[in-house]
Amino acid sequence: MDTKVWMYLVYLAVSVGLTIWVARSLSRNGQVFLEEVFSDERLARAVNSLLVVGFYLLNLGYVTVAMKHDDPVLSTSQAMEELSLKIGLVLLVLGALHFFNVFALGRYRRNRLRQLATHPPVAPIGRLPVQTGPHGPYPVAPHPAGPHPTTPQPGGGPAGPPPTR
């Protein structure tokens, strides 16, 4: 067998092995997360099973499509470089699929918890009093917190900027 065939065999063995290992690990460890997301163990098991099947289909489909290499492989070092590129891409696809699943399930969980909430996220502080003034029942603007600039201050002249010298 030539170097290219060996490269294909190693690529398939490593990629399929990684896919199976990651799928089992995510399925086993993600079960608790899915039970929290869906708050129903039976539904969580069903979704977990469907996610594993979809994971296998997407990743193994990518592995088989990416296996083709048009250029001739003349040396072992060239085969190793191409193999590392192909396996690296498989790992990136695995990571992207995992990130997408966690992101989508996290959003679903947040929306479900928001719908189940019985109280508003921020408690109301109170109501503003409505004062009736000479122009009807419209809110009256409050007076400034500090003294009016022309109001005399205790112990001296009018308030305002200090005199300049």
Side-chain angles (χ1 to χ4, degrees):
M1 281 195 274
D2 67 340
T3 310
K4 196 171 188 178
V5 173
W6 282 107
M7 183 186 77
Y8 285 154
L9 291 175
V10 170
Y11 169 70
L12 283 174
V14 170
S15 296
V16 170
L18 279 171
T19 300
I20 291 170
W21 174 70
V22 170
R24 286 184 178 171
S25 176
L26 292 177
S27 173
R28 183 178 55 251
N29 297 321
Q31 182 68 32
V32 175
F33 178 71
L34 290 173
E35 287 173 6
E36 166 65 24
V37 167
F38 294 111
S39 69
D40 179 9
E41 186 179 343
R42 187 168 157 246
L43 178 62
R45 276 195 318 268
V47 169
N48 197 10
S49 185
L50 291 173
L51 284 173
V52 168
V53 169
F55 184 82
Y56 279 133
L57 289 173
L58 282 172
N59 200 61
L60 293 176
Y62 175 78
V63 165
T64 56
V65 167
M67 187 169 82
K68 183 176 179 177
H69 182 69
D70 291 331
D71 300 332
V73 178
L74 303 173
S75 67
T76 307
S77 63
Q78 189 180 9
M80 291 297 289
E81 290 171 2
E82 188 61 33
L83 187 61
S84 69
L85 174 68
K86 289 184 177 297
I87 291 174
L89 289 173
V90 168
L91 291 172
L92 288 173
V93 168
L94 286 169
L97 288 173
H98 174 63
F99 175 76
F100 174 75
N101 283 340
V102 170
F103 178 76
L105 291 169
R107 283 186 61 125
Y108 176 82
R109 178 179 176 266
R110 277 193 304 274
N111 288 338
R112 187 180 57 81
L113 290 177
R114 212 177 283 133
Q115 288 174 353
L116 293 175
T118 57
H119 53 80
V122 177
I125 296 172
R127 301 182 103 178
L128 295 174
V130 177
Q131 300 173 357
T132 56
H135 302 291
Y138 299 107
V140 177
H143 293 289
H148 194 272
T150 58
T151 306
Q153 295 294 313
T164 57
R165 296 184 191 212

